[in-house]
Amino acid sequence: MSTDFNDDPHLDVCQNIEFGLRTAYERSPSLTDTQCMFAIDSAKVAVKQAFGYAKNQPLKVLPGTEGVVDWCVKVGRKRVGEQSDLTLKEYIARLEKIKRSVKRHSTAGPRGYYEFVRDYV
C-alpha cells in the first residue's frame, strides 16, 4: 500500500473516515489529536469486534471520543465486503493511515489535524 493518499485505490474510504473525524472535532472543541489517535486505535478493535474478531481484546474508549469510534465502525460495516472489494484488513490499514496523518499534522498544535483536514473534506 502506498503512503500517498492520492495513490490509494480506496481513497474514497479514507475520505469517508476523515469526514467523520472532522465532524467529531467540530462537535467537540476539546478533542485533541492525541485523543483522536487513541480513538482510532479503539476503533480498530471495535471494527474487528463488529466482524466477529478480537473478542478477547478490551475496548477502551475515552470520554468524548465515542463519536470517532462509532463513525469508524459505521463506515467499516458499510464499506467492508458489501459495497466494494475492501477487506477488513485493508480497512484497518486505512484507519492506521489516517492515524499516521493525524500524528503528522499534530506537530502543528493540539488540533493540527483538524486545522489541516477541515478544508479538504
Side-chain angles (χ1 to χ4, degrees), residues 1-100:
M1 184 173 65
S2 171
T3 57
D4 185 349
F5 274 87
N6 296 324
D7 293 340
D8 192 324
H10 296 289
L11 180 61
D12 58 323
V13 175
C14 293
Q15 291 169 335
N16 288 160
I17 296 165
E18 289 180 316
F19 176 81
L21 296 183
R22 185 191 78 192
T23 301
Y25 275 95
E26 289 170 350
R27 288 184 179 161
S28 179
S30 63
L31 180 65
T32 66
D33 292 344
T34 300
Q35 291 169 324
C36 185
M37 287 184 285
F38 185 87
I40 292 170
D41 282 337
S42 296
K44 290 188 291 187
V45 173
V47 169
K48 289 176 188 175
Q49 289 177 348
F51 284 91
Y53 302 99
K55 294 293 184 188
N56 293 329
Q57 206 169 351
L59 179 59
K60 299 175 186 174
V61 181
L62 294 175
T65 64
E66 300 89 354
V68 172
V69 176
D70 292 345
W71 177 258
C72 293
V73 171
K74 180 179 177 180
V75 171
R77 284 181 187 250
K78 183 176 181 182
R79 299 302 303 267
V80 171
E82 291 183 23
Q83 286 192 350
S84 66
D85 60 348
L86 184 72
T87 66
L88 178 59
K89 182 177 180 179
E90 290 170 326
Y91 183 68
I92 298 297
R94 294 322 177 277
L95 289 173
E96 187 59 35
K97 180 185 261 192
I98 299 294
K99 180 183 168 192
R100 287 191 306 268

